[in-house]
Structure formats: structure tokens, C-alpha cells
Amino acid sequence: MTENTQQQHDSVPELPTQYAPAEVEGPLYERWVERGYFTADAASDKKPYTIVIPPPNVTGSLHLGHAFQHTLMDALTRRKRMQGFEALWLPGMDHAGIATQNKVEQQLAEEGKSRHDLGREAFVDRVWQWKEEYGGKILGQMRRLGDGVDWSRERFTMDEGLSKAVQTIFKKLYDDELIYRAERIINWCPRCLTAISDIEVEYQEDAGELVSIRYGEGEDSLVVATTRAETMLGDTAVAVHPDDERYAHLVGKQIKLPLTDRTIPVVADTHVDPEFGTGAVKVTPAHDPNDFAIGRRHDLPSMTVMDEHGVITVHGPFLGLDRFEARSAIVAALREQGRIVAEKRPYVHSVGHCSRCHTTVEPRLSMQWWVKVGPLAQAAGDAVRDGRVKIHPEDMSKRYFDWVDNMHDWCISRQLWWGHRIPVWYGPEGQVVCVGPDEEPPSGEGWHQDSDVLDTWFSSGLWPFSTLGWPEKTPDLEKFYATDVLLTGHDIIFFWVARMMMFGLYAMDGVAPFHTIALTGLVRDERGKKMSKSFGNVVDPLDWMDRYGSDAVRFTLAKGANPGTDVPIGEDWVQASRNFANKIWNATRFALMNGATVEGELPAAEKLSATDRWILSRLNATVAEVDAYYEDYQFSKVSDALYHFAWDEVFDWYVELSKTTFMGGGEQAKVSARVLGEVLDVTLKLLHPIVPFVTEALWTTLTGKESLVVADWPTDSGFRDAAAEAEIENLQQVITEVRRFRADQGLQPGQRVPARLGLDGTPLAAHEGAIRQLLRLQPAEDGFQPTANLTIGGATVSLDLSGTIDVEAERKRLTKALAAAEKEKAAATAKLGNEAFLAKAAEVAVEKIRTRLAKAEADIERIKAQIDGLPGA
């Protein structure tokens, strides 16, 4: 070790020999929060950059989907903060009406009580108590992940400010006649005892039954088929197509409804498909949306035959039966009367289920509150069509337009106690008064407030502006609205994205709530299968964080994040990311021990070696590449580019190639140490948004500066050196080929071999020391007799392998490999010479054959060189 190297080693900043995420991550995060790095300043003159977090349910905990999207949002925000923006990533939670009420009702059930035992006010108090005690678990887990959110601005959809926003927009929509109350068919959950919207219904293939029933007598009879026989008790007509001659004689007549003492009319309606089934359909306006529409057109009565629990309410032998019990009983009774024409079991068909409790949904006629979405949805579609809002990836726009262009009016009332109560009062004389947030509700005898609450998505649809203080004109609203990007899964375009677009444009004078909608895929297991408890493949990201560190989980998720595409993830990949974090740690520690520094100006180009110029050229190219990928939300490509640059080019090549320089000491060692410091400085900055913890620990040690969180983002200086890049690529080729040859001969990686290098007249002459060190080649002594001569990239490497290989066995092996390569070349050449193949094959197939040919030719050249290098050739 030289005196200069010893001095450098003595002044090395201290880093533990191994990276221990559990010891680093928690303290670092608390320091970031305490120092206010994530707190945005509305008074700042910096350009704003805003993301609002998709508010997780107060009942929730961190799952891989959260970890995935939070990693990407955090990466965007951290980078923009480093670029000098006033970056606000605003956190908060959703009150999750049905889910939270269910939690508390389950708690009460364990005590032998129901919410009705407490009464509304006491029950709501109990929910608030639950929220304070158990809610928000996910917020602590977000800290574990490293979320750089502004905790000072944390919001909750039921807090005072957001409640005011909800009441304000309800009043505004009501006054503009965009909210109305009407009796319509809704999706009803008999378990949650509330209406749910279309997008809260999950459809699955269920095995049911299809029964065909004869209505009427003799020639005045017809057959209808149904999967819900219990609803026939509420039939008020049978419908046929107006042009169906089979039933022309029945249209306008009354026929007997089986099992009842009623007769019902036969009506003609174009909704009926005469080609489907018998061409006749039963009409139950109170229990089917299509039947409801037919009923309206023909002025038919609507008979509700089930209560809110799905229990039959009409008189007769079926009174009090559950809907499914009634179905079997009714079919049995019809069979006994000879009314069943056909039965099909099992009959697999699509059935709607409540997305929260998975109970079969019941279509039900009910008085509810609705949003007239027509003009709002039109505006939401126009904002994307005219370019004010961009959807990324662009091909996801079709899903968005399919929804907003065909949206039905939105049922916003829920029969719950937990949520934003509808701000409407009813008077004793039938008065209806909508009350704004600054208005006093009417009082006196007979006045009462509507008992329903609003759909959770109503309040979360206001999230991008209500969280910034709307309806007040706050400094936050002025500074940070509109938000820059909404990053969320493509699965909630309908639930949340469209709602925010409609409300944002409506409330904020036509200004859309975000400039870009960046849609991600969903996280799946390593086989691409959906994660589900029933499949047994659900992963708790906290377990992986405990084992491998948060950076490893984050990097794995970012590496799989192609826009709009589902993300497979497995534990092996997290382990590989952990190895990458360890590599960064160990390589940086090694570099520091060899004098890497950021002190002083970067030396001028003429003082730099070709290796130094190469790595600086590649560094700037990587900065430009990473920036371009970030702007296109290509997180996977960002991660890949950084992984290969850091591991392959910096740690595996530049550090290794520089070892001889460092060992030699002197001025050139100082230059390379400064270059290495620069490369590490920039590389750690580029990696920081995705892997914030390990990079922070290393960068602050390397630079002695405050924090990467508030450091400047690297910029491309424009420095490029094509000649140096070509020179080092040539050097890499020589080292790689000789390493391959050594491996082919069965030599151990550390085994030293005598060698003579023919580098004179080539740029590689300056790299002889590095070549010998990396290839374990000792100088050739007097009497040196080469047994192998390799010519690679203009350089000749002569090796004495006597005593290390069986020459004849090696010649046979190489001759066999050469024959295989020549056979592959002949096959590829024949394919490419076949006009019929070229005329029919896809371009990708042809290109594949060209690639095979090029590889075969390269293999032939390489193997021949190896054969020529054998003794006695």
C-alpha cells in the first residue's frame, strides 16, 4: 500500500461493513419528517408539483397494491422535489362507509347488541371511537415504506373541512337541478341493508337454475323462462315483441298469473328479443331494471314482493320465506300444478354480488337520491378529448371513454348511519329543503333530516380540491390545484377517476383536477395469478420489509411497473433487489476506502484517462435516459437503466478498471478518485427516489451534506466521448472473451496464467495493467511457449496453458462446437434464402432468424480462433 493510499484509507468516512436496513430505515424516516423535508410551502415562489394520495380505507392495512402505487408516487414526488419544485404529496384516508360500519357492527354483535340498540347518535360516536383506536393503521405502515408525504396536511373524508365541502357541492348540484330524488331500481344488498352503485357490484358465474313456466290457459297461454322464480309474485305483465306473429292474438289480453288470484296483461315492447328463448318475458317492474323501463313505457304497476332483508312480503304460503327458500317453494308449487315446462340445473349465469360482503345483490325499487351525470360526464370526456388531461398509457383512454360516454345516473344515497348525512330536511306539509353549510336547517314540529348518508365515492370524488381547503379560497388551493398527476390502478377508473373528473371540472370552473392520469396495472404473484386469500398467495409487504428492507420491496415493485400492465412479483425478485442494495452499499464502501471524493472541481477532460472519460460519458447518457423515462412514467425502464448502469458499468467495470490506478497512487489516482466520487454522487441521486434509505445513508457519508431528499437532481452536462466509449467497449470485449476462454478451459477465476499481450499500436496498450489484473495474467518469462493465441478486437493475447488443459480433448470439444455452429449457420442461411418463407413470415420471425445467423457467424469466428490458439495448430 502506498503512502498516499494509506492516508486515504485513514480518512475514510465510517460505514458499517454490512448494510442492515432495520437499523437504518426507521431513524432516517423520522429524521426526514422532523426536519420538515416533506412539508410543502404554499408561500414558496417555486413551481408547484402536486399529487394527492388515493385515500386508503380507514379500515385497511398496507397491501402490495398500496406499496406498489405508493412507491411510484413517492419516486415522482422525490424527484420533483430534488428538481426544485415545491412538491406536495398529500396523504389522508377515506371513511369507507359500508366497510367501517360493518366493522363496528361486528364488534357490537360480539357484545350481543346491534346499532339499533345504541341509536344513531351513539352508534356514530362508537364508530369515531373505533376510528381513533383502530383506524389509520395503514398510516404507520406508509412510514415503514418511506412515503414522503406531507403529514401536516393529512386529511380524512369526514373531517370538518371536507364535510363542509361535501355539503357545499351537494347544495350547488341540487340548486342546479343536477341532484334529484326519485324511485328507481337500484342494487340492494340484503346483508349491508343499503343501496350500492353499479360499480360496487361484482359479477361472477354462479350455478343456478332456469325454469320455464306456462302462464295462462289453452290457446291463451305462453311460456316464460326465469332464473328468479320468486319474483313472479310481483309480475304485472308479460311482454312480447310487436312483430312476433306467434303472440299477436294475445297482445292486449289478460292472462292468469299462476299461484295468485291476479290476471296480468300481455304487452308488446321492442325491448323483447323474439329470437331468444320463447320470445316472451315476464315483467316485474319492482325487481328488474329492464322490467322497470318496460313498466314505465306501458304504465304498469310496480309490486314490491320482498323486504330489505330479501324476505317475501306478499300474502300466501310464501310469506316470510327468504328469497332463496321461496324460489324452491314456488318452483315446487308450480311443478305440482303442471306449470313447469322445462327445468335446467345447473344453469351457470352471471350474478351480481356486493363487492364488500359478497352477498347476492337484489334489484329493488327504491326511493333514492341521484346525480344527473349527463352534463358532468360530457365535461369529463371533453377534458380528455381536447388534451387538457392526458391519460397514460394512451390506449387506456378507450376504457375511460367507454365509461363516461355511457354513464347512467348515479345513485348517491346509502341506507347507513356512518357517513356524510344528506343535507335535506322534510317538513310536515311535504316541504323539501336542501341546506348549505352556512345555513340554518328548518326547525319546529314535524321537520326532520333525511336519514340516508352519501356514497363514499361522493366525498372522495372531491379529494383533489377539498383537501386543499375548497370551498374556501385558501393559499393551498391557489398554489397546488390543479394537481399534476393522478397515479392509480386502472381498476378504479370507474369508481374514482371519473368521479373526480366530473366534480373537479364542475366545482373549479372547468379546471380539471389533474393534468395527467397515469394508470398502473395490478400486482399479481410470480405466475401472473391474481392475489387472493382463497388462492393462498396473498403477501404481506411488511413481512418482506422485515426480511429484506423497504428499499428491496420498492425496487422490485418499480422494476415491474410497465404502464397499465399487471405486475408479477415473487420473493426471489425481492431477494435479488436486496442483493442490489447490498451491492450499492459494498461498492460504495469500497470506493470510499479507495479515496472516492466529491471535494473540488471535476478535473478537465484532458486530465482524464479514457476509463474516466468513458464512465462520465455513460453517466450523462444515463441521466438523460432516466429523465426521459420518468417523464413517460416508464418506471420499469428507469429501474432497469439504473440497475445496469450501477451494477454493470460502475461497480463491475469502472471500479475494477480503476483499481490499478488507485494502487499506483499519484496524480492520476487523485483524478480517478474524484471521478469515482462524482459518479457515485450522481448515481445515488438517480437511485434515491426509488430506494431512498440506502442511498441516503451512503450519500450523506460520501458528501458530508445534509440529505439527499433536498439535494439537487442531476442534470445532463452534455459531456459525451464516443471515442472513449468505443475504446472501453473494445477493452471489455477483450476481457470478456478471455474470461470466457479461461472458463472454457476449466481454469479457476483466481488461477494465474503466464501471458504475452500484443497491444502495441492499439489504444488498449494503456490498459495493460488493468487487463493483466482482471484476467489474472502474469508476465511471460524467458522461454515462454504459448499454447493458445487469441486475437480479439485488434489485440493478441497469448497464453501458456501447459499443464492446465488436455489439448486433444479440448480440440475435440471445440471441433464439435464448431460443427454445431456451422450447422446452425447453414440452417439460418437456408431459411433466409427461402423466398416462400420470407413472403409469409412475420417480420419478427424473420428478424429472429437473422439474429440466429449473426450469432452463429460470431460463434464460428470465436471457436476458430480458439482452435487456432491451441498448441500444435
Side-chain angles (χ1 to χ4, degrees), residues 196-213:
I196 58 176
S197 67
D198 291 345
I199 52 178
E200 294 169 301
V201 177
E202 292 179 346
Y203 287 90
Q204 66 185 49
E205 296 296 306
D206 285 359
E209 61 181 354
L210 179 69
V211 293
S212 299
I213 309 166

Side-chain angles (χ1 to χ4, degrees), residues 101 104 108 114-128 158 414-423 448-454:
Q101 179 157 319
V104 178
L108 287 173
S114 75
R115 60 177 162 134
H116 300 285
D117 294 324
L118 272 66
R120 184 171 193 138
E121 188 174 339
F123 176 78
V124 171
D125 286 344
R126 178 74 177 255
V127 180
W128 278 107
M158 287 281 285
R414 299 290 181 267
Q415 289 64 55
L416 304 171
W417 287 357
W418 172 244
H420 294 281
R421 197 161 173 184
I422 289 176
H448 64 281
Q449 187 177 357
D450 195 299
S451 60
D452 289 350
V453 300
L454 288 162

Side-chain angles (χ1 to χ4, degrees), residues 138-158:
I138 193 171
L139 299 179
Q141 295 168 340
M142 286 162 56
R143 301 170 89 95
R144 280 286 312 277
L145 188 64
D147 282 9
V149 296
D150 185 346
W151 292 111
S152 71
R153 286 178 166 86
E154 181 191 336
R155 304 306 297 268
F156 179 55
T157 50
M158 287 281 285

Side-chain angles (χ1 to χ4, degrees), residues 11-17 585 589 592 697 701-702:
S11 62
V12 171
E14 288 188 12
L15 273 178
T17 55
W585 183 273
R589 186 172 179 275
L592 287 169
T701 303
L702 170 70

Side-chain angles (χ1 to χ4, degrees), residues 32 37-38 46-47 49 74-88 148 554 626-627 630 642 680-692 695-696 699 703 707-715:
W32 291 334
Y37 293 151
F38 305 141
K46 294 179 182 178
K47 187 176 179 181
Y49 182 83
D74 195 32
L76 290 174
T77 311
R78 286 178 182 270
R79 173 173 173 263
K80 287 297 183 180
R81 188 180 291 114
M82 293 173 75
Q83 287 182 314
F85 287 77
E86 193 62 44
L88 169 61
R554 290 171 61 115
V626 166
D627 277 336
Y630 262 121
L642 290 173
L680 287 174
D681 175 25
V682 173
T683 302
L684 292 171
K685 285 177 177 177
L686 292 174
L687 282 164
H688 176 73
I690 297 175
V691 285
T695 51
E696 173 86 341
W699 186 83
T703 65
S707 174
L708 259 179
V709 181
V710 290
D712 291 335
W713 182 254
T715 56

